[in-house]
Amino acid sequence: SIVLMDMMGNIAIKFTEADEKKKAGEIIPDVKITEETKTIAGYKCKKAIVTLKEENIVMPIWFTEEINTYNSQWESMYKGIKGMIMEYEYEFHNGMDMKMTAKSVNKEAVADSKFVVPEGYKQMTMDEFQKSLEFGE
């Protein structure tokens, strides 16, 4: 998979299948689904607390069961989260916080051209991206 980010310049982070398998094998998260709910982008969402003990990270994740994700990568990594993740928060080791929240959902076909990294994006691996955050590059 590839994640495009418009922060600190335009960055394209590429995850290989090996990266995903390695990460899934290294980190076994503890997932607790709470009773707490809220609406995000018009969808009723449940709150999960994901704890990554090996990395000393606690992440609140909001997800909706109203959108089927067809066995997405997070369903295998975050056991118990069945549906589309609509919001999550993550704190990097350098104290930088990131919060991603869905603003809207469009149920339409997506053109293949949307999966091509646009010109002007610096392509890097997840390891390279994390190192750039640690050292402020």
Side-chain angles (χ1 to χ4, degrees):
S1 62
I2 296 175
V3 175
L4 301 178
M5 295 184 3
D6 297 329
M7 63 177 243
M8 303 179 327
N10 295 332
I11 300 170
I13 304 169
K14 183 176 182 177
F15 296 87
T16 65
E17 186 175 345
D19 291 334
E20 297 293 343
K21 286 180 180 177
K22 177 183 173 199
K23 196 68 164 170
E26 287 178 357
I27 300 171
I28 301 171
D30 177 44
V31 178
K32 294 207 182 336
I33 309 297
T34 73
E35 297 296 319
E36 200 172 340
T37 63
K38 73 175 179 179
T39 301
I40 300 173
Y43 291 88
K44 181 180 178 183
C45 297
K46 293 181 178 181
K47 184 177 185 180
I49 302 296
V50 176
T51 304
L52 306 173
K53 294 176 186 171
E54 294 86 353
E55 295 185 5
N56 196 28
I57 294 172
V58 177
M59 279 189 320
I61 293 179
W62 293 88
F63 67 99
T64 182
E65 294 174 330
E66 295 176 34
I67 301 174
N68 189 332
T69 56
Y70 305 106
N71 196 25
S72 68
Q73 69 185 24
W74 59 78
E75 286 181 14
S76 60
M77 184 170 176
Y78 303 131
K79 302 282 188 222
I81 295 180
K82 303 285 186 205
M84 177 64 70
I85 293 177
M86 302 293 281
E87 180 177 290
Y88 69 90
E89 294 180 51
Y90 186 88
E91 183 180 324
F92 291 93
H93 293 291
N94 66 357
M96 180 178 151
D97 294 338
M98 178 175 65
K99 181 177 181 180
M100 304 289 231
T101 306
K103 298 291 182 193
S104 63
V105 175
N106 296 323
K107 294 181 180 181
E108 58 189 43
V110 179
D112 289 346
S113 62
K114 294 286 186 182
F115 297 94
V116 175
V117 176
E119 286 190 37
Y121 278 77
K122 179 180 178 181
Q123 295 191 44
M124 60 178 62
T125 66
M126 185 57 171
D127 286 340
E128 292 169 335
F129 175 68
Q130 288 177 329
K131 286 178 184 168
S132 74
L133 292 175
E134 290 173 11
F135 299 110
E137 294 176 357

